[in-house]
Amino acid sequence: MKPEIHPDYREATYICACGEAFVNGTTRKQDVVRIEICNKCHPFFTGKQKMVDASGRVDRFKKRVEKAGSK
């Protein structure tokens, strides 16, 4: 690596809004980084994810296309 063109890479402690804390690498100047969401409280990882029913949208679109085609 060329000297003096890359930012300093160091470890920092990340603290989530849920209270979880972990250490990870960063180029920020801070030793403590506060985040809003982590893998312990994110809905995808906790299994509380809501599935969006897109089939209703598809049906409405097909009805609109059929209605426009009949004119």
Side-chain angles (χ1 to χ4, degrees), residues 5-68:
I5 64 167
H6 298 285
D8 292 332
Y9 189 77
R10 57 191 195 175
E11 289 187 347
T13 302
Y14 287 79
I15 301 175
C16 180
C18 70
E20 182 71 20
F22 56 92
V23 177
N24 200 1
T26 185
T27 57
R28 292 183 171 196
K29 304 278 186 225
Q30 304 156 335
D31 290 331
V32 176
V33 179
R34 299 209 178 266
I35 56 176
E36 295 177 12
I37 197 159
C38 67
N39 65 333
K40 299 289 183 184
C41 60
H42 192 280
F44 181 78
F45 297 111
T46 59
K48 296 178 183 175
Q49 182 179 14
K50 295 180 183 176
M51 299 305 250
V52 177
D53 182 22
S55 63
R57 293 181 183 182
V58 173
D59 292 336
R60 283 185 281 158
F61 177 75
K62 287 181 180 179
K63 286 179 185 178
R64 267 198 323 231
V65 170
E66 289 174 6
K67 190 176 182 181

